[in-house]
Amino acid sequence: MSVLVVGMSHKSAPIDVLEHASLDVDAAVKLSHLALETPFVTESVVISTCNRVEIYVEAERFHGAVEEVSRLLAEQSGLDRDEFVRHVYVHFDEAAVAHLFGVASGMDSMILGESQILGQVREALHSAQAESTVGSALNALFQQALRIGKRGHAETGIDRLAPSIVTAGLDAAGPVVDGADTRFLVAGAGTMASLAVRTLIDRGVEPHRIMVANRTYQRAYALVATFGVSAVRWQALDVELSAADVLISCTGASGVVFDRDRIADAAGGRPMSVIDLALPRDVDPAVRELEGIDLIDLVVLSEAAANAELAADVRQVQTIVESEVRTFLAAKAASHITPTVIALRTMATDIVAAEQARIESRLPNLTDDERADVRKALHRVAEKLIHAPTVRVQQLIDGPADLTYADALADLFALDQSAVDAVTRVGESS
């Protein structure tokens, strides 16, 4: 059994492709269940965020699983095969483990080191647990990834660029965000919207200057109860938009919510900062053409992130990830070896019992003491033969990757190398 990940992210695909590929909660759950219906797949977890969609599976066979899982992801994304193949990536076993650990630590994020991804990985695992699509293998992998993500943030300064995409967006908007009279409109009431409101309040924005609008008013009102902000019904969105200095949009809609004309009418020629954190995009990119309108979307944020200089912290996190990958794989290998060692000992015990029965049947006149001596001799021989392999197999877990089968046998049974060489020379001379 091996772990496999198939996905695409801001690193492999442009934003407009990711818009098509992104999955809402229901679609992610559906994909996870569909994966379990395919041959060779026993567990699945789907991570779907504003800049990545990935499905992790525990698979019995690589080729069969990657074919089926890729097909399902392509169908769910709505992309044609050529477009999908051009932007998808596949990681298997060690590479898949390293990829997830890198994702959880913020190393693969659009905003390098952002901590929001850690919560998104946790939500993906919780969803898989609730849907019973995850088992012991992926559960252990994801739990370790979460621990590594926390460790990376605790031990390095990787997140000093921006703790989240929300913070990066607000920073990019400039001084207007910290203005004493700036009015904010948050469109949406999901996880990203909640994070936006919390971040604004943490920056010192007074709750009465934050308005939340959502198609489902009850969800918007939940933020009122939590943070003390104000809420408006979706039907009154344009009225509040006309009074806002900063729009933060993260609705989760399937298409454009704020087109060029809508923003132009609301701004009426005055300056406005528009922060679009949604994927698919909530705001038409043509809004950028309007005079006085500063549009900050995921394209802008990814360009800003590409210029970040966190070389020392990146190397430190990479070292942590590489070390944790080795530790995780060694523990996984050990868990597979233990049953093998038990089976080896069981086989030896069975052979001893069979040989003892054969000897006693052929030599019925043996005394009890003689039978005991035979039994002890057989056990000693078996124990000496399997002692070295059961000890050395644990040491070989971290052995060289190029170890041959012959090398392994010689090492497992602690064979005298001079004896092996002598046999080799005889074989070659003949």
Side-chain angles (χ1 to χ4, degrees), residues 47-346:
I47 298 177
S48 182
T49 73
C50 61
N51 53 37
R52 79 176 58 251
V53 55
E54 299 175 337
I55 176 167
Y56 293 78
V57 301
E58 180 75 356
E60 294 175 353
R61 295 185 186 176
F62 170 74
H63 293 292
V66 74
E67 220 173 276
E68 290 295 321
V69 171
S70 298
R71 176 184 61 79
L72 287 174
L73 186 57
E75 290 174 354
Q76 290 292 299
S77 68
L79 298 171
D80 64 60
R81 181 175 177 79
D82 290 340
E83 183 103 45
F84 178 80
V85 169
R86 198 156 51 240
H87 300 297
V88 75
Y89 49 77
V90 175
H91 299 301
F92 186 65
D93 262 357
E94 181 176 348
V97 172
H99 178 75
L100 178 59
F101 289 179
V103 168
S105 62
M107 293 290 289
D108 200 60
S109 295
M110 182 177 292
I111 308 300
L112 188 64
E114 59 96 8
S115 57
Q116 186 182 356
I117 185 62
L118 201 55
Q120 292 164 332
V121 171
R122 186 181 295 105
E123 288 174 7
L125 176 58
H126 288 172
S127 174
Q129 290 170 338
E131 295 292 326
S132 298
T133 63
V134 67
S136 59
L138 289 186
N139 186 71
L141 175 63
F142 271 72
Q143 294 288 2
Q144 185 68 4
L146 292 172
R147 285 191 286 271
I148 292 166
K150 291 177 183 176
R151 182 185 169 192
H153 290 293
E155 297 181 14
T156 74
I158 192 67
D159 57 357
R160 72 176 185 268
L161 175 64
S164 72
I165 289 179
V166 173
T167 303
L170 293 174
D171 288 345
V176 65
V177 171
D178 299 312
D181 299 318
T182 300
R183 290 177 60 84
F184 297 86
L185 172 62
V186 177
T191 302
M192 187 74 78
S194 177
L195 181 60
V197 172
R198 182 186 299 277
T199 304
L200 287 172
I201 291 176
D202 288 345
R203 290 175 74 114
V205 177
E206 297 168 344
H208 72 267
R209 292 193 284 124
I210 304 172
M211 185 68 70
V212 178
N214 191 60
R215 284 188 173 85
T216 305
Y217 183 73
Q218 287 78 5
R219 293 194 67 185
Y221 195 78
L223 296 183
V224 175
T226 304
F227 300 106
V229 298
S230 302
V232 63
R233 295 189 181 277
W234 193 254
Q235 293 81 352
L237 178 64
D238 289 322
V239 174
E240 196 59 39
L241 183 61
S242 298
D245 301 298
V246 178
L247 166 65
I248 303 174
S249 192
C250 38
T251 67
S254 58
V256 169
V257 177
F258 300 97
D259 58 24
R260 191 177 188 277
D261 291 341
R262 191 173 195 179
I263 295 295
D265 291 344
R270 65 188 176 85
M272 179 186 289
S273 292
V274 179
I275 304 173
D276 184 4
L277 302 176
L279 190 70
R281 285 175 281 203
D282 282 344
V283 183
D284 186 343
V287 166
R288 190 172 279 110
E289 301 167 2
L290 296 173
E291 187 176 352
I293 304 300
D294 184 18
L295 174 59
I296 300 156
D297 57 15
L298 294 178
V299 174
V300 173
L301 294 178
S302 67
E303 291 172 352
N307 297 323
E309 294 185 2
L310 294 169
D313 296 295
V314 168
R315 286 194 297 271
Q316 194 174 350
V317 174
Q318 285 175 334
T319 300
I320 291 173
V321 169
E322 289 168 4
S323 172
E324 292 285 0
V325 168
R326 289 194 298 270
T327 300
F328 180 84
L329 292 176
K332 184 178 180 182
S335 70
H336 288 305
I337 284 172
T338 300
T340 303
V341 171
I342 293 173
L344 177 62
R345 287 192 170 278
T346 301

